[in-house]
């Protein structure tokens, strides 16, 4: 038996706020990584995902509206730590042949984090009967998965290009 009045709806709102803050942080970081990337294809993929991320932030705003709650972020410390690490790699490996490998790995960690968050949000939205929120969250989840897959391909391609050049 639950001991307090806290509900799954409260939990959903907290995760929404966390994810909203995380996406806004990601939006800023993607621009920075894009400018640093050595490979044009990686820069293009990061740019495309930056545009997608803007749409994802709008979807979260739509869901806050559905909930009748203000769109507000609760600073996501997990994302901040991941982005701080990405920034360290960017500074330390700038101009080196390993920079893109580091950027791809850092961004894949972000995508995996987002995939778990949206997976959870989507199943909680289903459980709570938030039928309009479910497809919005599903669409973002698909974009995060697709981005992760593209980054995996770019990582492989990098290795192949280096092998060919060796
Ligand atoms: Fe995202
Ligand atoms: Fe993402």
């Amino acid at each position: 038996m639950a001991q307090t009045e806290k509900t799954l709806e409260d939990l959903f709102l907290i995760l929404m706020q966390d994810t909203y803050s995380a996406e806004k942080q990601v939006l800023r970081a993607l621009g920075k990584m894009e400018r640093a990337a050595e490979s044009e294809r990686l820069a293009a993929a990061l740019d495309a995902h930056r545009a997608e991320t803007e749409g994802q932030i709008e979807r979260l705003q739509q869901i806050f509206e559905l909930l009748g709650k203000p769109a507000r972020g609760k600073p996501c410390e997990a994302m901040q730590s991941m982005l701080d690490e990405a920034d360290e790699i960017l500074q330390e490996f700038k101009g080196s042949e390993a920079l893109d490998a580091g950027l791809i790995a850092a961004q894949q960690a972000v995508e995996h984090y987002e995939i778990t968050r949206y997976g959870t949000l989507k199943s909680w939205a289903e459980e709570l009967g938030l039928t309009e929120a479910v497809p919005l969250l599903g669409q973002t989840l698909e974009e995060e998965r697709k981005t992760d897959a593209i980054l995996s391909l770019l990582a492989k391609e990098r290795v192949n290009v280096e092998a060919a050049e060796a």
Side-chain angles (χ1 to χ4, degrees):
M1 186 65 196
Q3 300 290 311
T4 73
E5 301 297 313
K6 294 281 187 195
T7 63
L8 183 64
E9 204 161 352
D10 296 326
L11 204 52
F12 181 80
L13 183 63
I14 288 172
L15 191 51
M16 279 288 298
Q17 291 169 338
D18 180 273
T19 307
Y20 188 62
S21 144
E23 289 288 14
K24 287 187 153 183
Q25 295 174 52
V26 172
L27 187 65
R28 283 192 298 269
L30 280 168
K32 203 170 170 185
M33 284 197 189
E34 178 197 334
R35 287 190 296 277
E38 294 282 337
S39 134
E40 272 176 35
R41 294 193 54 187
L42 176 57
L46 294 171
D47 184 51
H49 196 49
R50 196 176 47 76
E52 269 176 351
T53 299
E54 283 172 357
Q56 295 175 352
I57 289 171
E58 278 169 28
R59 281 185 208 123
L60 291 173
Q61 287 165 345
Q62 284 179 53
I63 298 169
F64 279 114
E65 237 172 84
L66 290 168
L67 295 170
K69 303 282 184 193
R72 210 182 43 204
K74 177 186 152 289
C76 175
E77 287 170 22
M79 183 58 80
Q80 194 51 57
S81 304
M82 269 190 285
L83 295 177
D84 286 347
E85 282 187 21
D87 208 45
E88 266 173 47
I89 289 183
L90 199 152
Q91 301 305 332
E92 284 176 31
F93 286 83
K94 211 167 198 160
S96 86
E97 58 154 39
L99 177 68
D100 281 4
L103 293 180
I104 291 171
Q107 191 57 33
Q108 281 194 284
V110 168
E111 298 310 325
H112 282 228
Y113 181 78
E114 292 181 311
I115 289 165
T116 72
R117 303 277 89 172
Y118 283 104
T120 301
L121 282 171
K122 183 168 174 266
S123 44
W124 285 353
E126 281 162 1
E127 196 176 334
L128 291 166
L130 301 168
T131 49
E132 287 172 81
V134 174
L136 293 169
L137 294 165
Q139 216 177 324
T140 297
L141 181 58
E142 276 319 302
E143 289 174 357
E144 309 296 23
R145 285 187 180 139
K146 193 196 68 197
T147 301
D148 181 48
I150 290 171
L151 291 170
S152 287
L153 280 176
L154 288 173
K156 268 188 208 147
E157 203 179 81
R158 230 200 82 254
V159 171
N160 291 339
V161 167
E162 266 171 26
E165 283 171 353

